Amino acid sequence: METDLHQAITASGLRMTRQRQVILDVLRQSHGHLDAEALHDRVRQQDPRISLATVYRTLALLKEFGLVQEHRLGEEHGHFEAAPQAPHYHFTCLKCRKVIEFQASSVQRVVREVAAKESVQITDVHLLLSGYCADCSREGVEGNHET
Amino acid sequence: METDLHQAITASGLRMTRQRQVILDVLRQSHGHLDAEALHDRVRQQDPRISLATVYRTLALLKEFGLVQEHRLGEEHGHFEAAPQAPHYHFTCLKCRKVIEFQASSVQRVVREVAAKESVQITDVHLLLSGYCADCSREGVEGNHET
DNA sequence: ATTGAGATTGAAAATAATTCTCAATATCAA
DNA sequence: TTGATATTGAGAATTATTTTCAATCTCAAT
Ligand SMILES: [Mn+2]
Ligand SMILES: [Mn+2]
Ligand SMILES: [Zn+2]
Ligand SMILES: [Zn+2]
């Protein structure tokens, strides 16, 4: 639960650094889906010297290890979260940008079907729903031409 | 089938231009999922003066009209396709970048469930599977440490 | 504990993707 | 035909991410 980073790192012949540990720790403690800058800000509170480049580098590494997931939530930048125990998916509000997580076992069924039918090996599943949350449900996606 | 752009445009008090028509036409004729530069290249063959900025501007407009969809296929840039009659989803190979489209009616079931349970209004659904296609299935995601 | 090969980092530059600015041009209702 | 104004092209600007490289760590072998 905390040594899996050490494990992955050394198994790969890489080196354990304070930066890598801090970045993973911060991501694990943070609920929600942080972008690189937001993560950098929080990481700096633990160690003000860590650079944004190292945040990006470490995120790429943690993704390879399967310890971190990146999501595209409809914006021009990525959002990151520590890999959860059970897979989950996302809804994001086009107006207020709120993110709601949900589970749906039937998605795994679809994944198995596609894997079989297309003879592919599936390693990642991203389901993103977007629209308007309960608070924002009013106007639609396109043109509200009323006053 | 060809006048729906005129319709959407004029209904919005906008203006019909050669550029907008060409960009939509090219996208409709192109099978596959083009990024902005690739689309620009093809559009230029019809009209060499059209700028990349206009391609981006028009894609944004066509998305608002629901005539075009943008997908994030695991790369740092978007890919675009003309809105299909029936919804479909995507698998992309992490090695060769090939894209396979598939349908899965159970996804719509999940969408309805989430909409009901979370009281949200869902306007877009993106399901992206990634992994290795039949040709590329061999090494895993990370490190192949063999020769 | 010391050493050294080489992995990692910070800072800044570079690259990539997309958006914005603005003067020139095109559209379309009158 | 005209005029108000929407749109465009070109390039600058912005945003997100990656790369470069010299300085600094890490860790296995002394
Ligand atoms: Mn999540
Ligand atoms: Mn498609
Ligand atoms: Zn909302
Ligand atoms: Zn492949």
Side-chain angles (χ1 to χ4, degrees), chain A residues 64-65 72 76 94 102 106 110 114 119-124 126-132 134 137 141-142, chain B residues 64-65 72 76 91 94 102 106 110 114 119-124 126-132 134 137 142:
Chain A
E64 283 180 14
F65 291 154
R72 289 283 164 165
E76 273 312 317
L94 297 169
F102 62 92
S106 39
V110 171
V114 173
S119 304
V120 299
Q121 179 191 345
I122 294 170
T123 60
D124 285 282
H126 288 266
L127 174 60
L128 175 65
L129 310 182
S130 42
Y132 297 90
S137 277
V141 184
E142 35 240 348
Chain B
E64 282 179 16
F65 291 154
R72 289 284 163 164
E76 272 312 318
F91 164 89
L94 297 171
F102 62 91
S106 40
V110 171
V114 173
S119 303
V120 299
Q121 180 191 343
I122 294 170
T123 61
D124 284 283
H126 288 266
L127 174 60
L128 175 65
L129 310 182
S130 42
Y132 296 91
S137 277
E142 35 242 346

Side-chain angles (χ1 to χ4, degrees), chain A residues 34-48:
Chain A
L34 283 63
D35 62 34
E37 301 257 19
L39 175 56
H40 185 215
D41 288 346
R42 296 203 187 191
V43 155
R44 274 200 219 235
Q45 290 171 219
Q46 309 300 310
D47 182 339

Side-chain angles (χ1 to χ4, degrees), chain A residues 91 93-98 131-137:
Chain A
F91 164 89
C93 177
L94 297 169
K95 194 169 192 181
C96 71
R97 289 280 137 213
K98 173 181 4 189
Y132 297 90
C133 75
D135 297 340
C136 296
S137 277

